[in-house]
Amino acid sequence: MRHNKKFNHLGRTASHRSAMLSNMACSLIKHKRITTTVAKAKALKKFVEPLITKAKDDTTNSRRVVFSNLQDKYAVTELFKEISVKIADRPGGYTRIIKTGNRLGDNAEMCFIELVDYNENMAKEKVAKKATRTRRSKKSANETASVAEAPVAEEVKAE
C-alpha cells in the first residue's frame, strides 16, 4: 500500500530532481514566467512558494536558507529586492499554472507557470471588469434613452 506517498519523483534521482527544481525556480524568478510540463510545474510550485514566503522577511538567515535552495546570487537578490516588495501584502498563492495543451512529440500536458503579480494582462482585465458595470432593468434603460434623446432635440432647436 502507498499510504502518504504523494511526492512526485518525476522519474529522477533525488539529486537530479533537486538540481532541476532549483534551476527551474531560478528561471521563474528571473523571467517571471516559464513554460514546462504540468507535473514539473506542480512540483515547482511546492518548491518555490515557501521560498517566496521566506523572502518576505529580509534577514541574513532567510537569505542563507533561500540561497542554499537556489544556489544563484542573482536570483536571490531579485527575489529579495523586487519580488518580495511586490508580494508583501499577498498571504500566499504567488504562482499561477495555466495549461496550454499537449506537446507535439510525446503528447505531454504543457503549461506555463508564472508569478501572479507580474502578469499585466490579468491585472488590466480585473480593472476593466470593475469599471464596466451595467444594470439590466428596463427602468434604467428607458431613463438613459430619454436622456440621450433630449440633448439631440435641443441641438436641433439651436440651429
Side-chain angles (χ1 to χ4, degrees), residues 12-19:
R12 289 163 169 79
T13 61
S15 59
H16 185 185
R17 188 171 52 251
S18 67

Side-chain angles (χ1 to χ4, degrees), residues 4-16:
N4 253 352
K5 296 190 181 286
K6 296 178 184 176
F7 190 76
N8 190 352
H9 296 287
L10 301 172
R12 289 163 169 79
T13 61
S15 59
H16 185 185

Side-chain angles (χ1 to χ4, degrees), residues 79-157:
L79 181 62
F80 278 87
K81 290 260 171 85
E82 293 181 23
I83 296 173
S84 65
V85 172
K86 202 159 189 176
I87 52 101
D89 57 339
R90 184 177 288 276
Y94 311 112
T95 57
R96 177 187 298 128
I97 296 175
I98 299 176
K99 296 181 180 177
T100 57
N102 294 343
R103 188 161 50 195
L104 281 177
D106 58 355
N107 208 31
E109 275 189 299
M110 296 300 288
C111 67
F112 58 82
I113 181 169
E114 65 184 2
L115 295 174
V116 170
D117 293 325
Y118 282 89
N119 190 344
E120 291 83 19
N121 296 333
M122 294 283 193
K124 288 178 186 175
E125 287 176 13
K126 287 182 183 176
V127 172
K129 285 182 184 177
K130 288 181 183 175
T132 58
R133 283 192 152 203
T134 58
R135 292 185 57 180
R136 290 187 169 182
S137 66
K138 290 184 178 180
K139 183 177 180 182
S140 64
N142 291 338
E143 288 176 5
T144 55
S146 63
V147 171
E149 292 172 6
V152 175
E154 291 176 10
E155 290 175 10
V156 174
K157 289 179 185 177

Side-chain angles (χ1 to χ4, degrees), residues 5-60:
K5 296 190 181 286
K6 296 178 184 176
F7 190 76
N8 190 352
H9 296 287
L10 301 172
R12 289 163 169 79
T13 61
S15 59
H16 185 185
R17 188 171 52 251
S18 67
M20 182 193 67
L21 289 174
S22 173
N23 290 331
M24 288 175 70
C26 291
S27 296
L28 180 65
I29 290 167
K30 289 177 187 173
H31 302 294
K32 312 302 187 259
R33 174 190 288 180
I34 58 172
T35 304
T36 182
T37 62
V38 173
K40 285 181 188 173
K42 287 179 180 178
L44 178 62
K45 188 171 191 167
K46 283 186 175 182
F47 181 82
V48 80
E49 292 215 359
L51 296 180
I52 296 174
T53 304
K54 184 69 88 172
K56 282 184 175 183
D57 58 329
D58 191 2
T59 61
T60 306

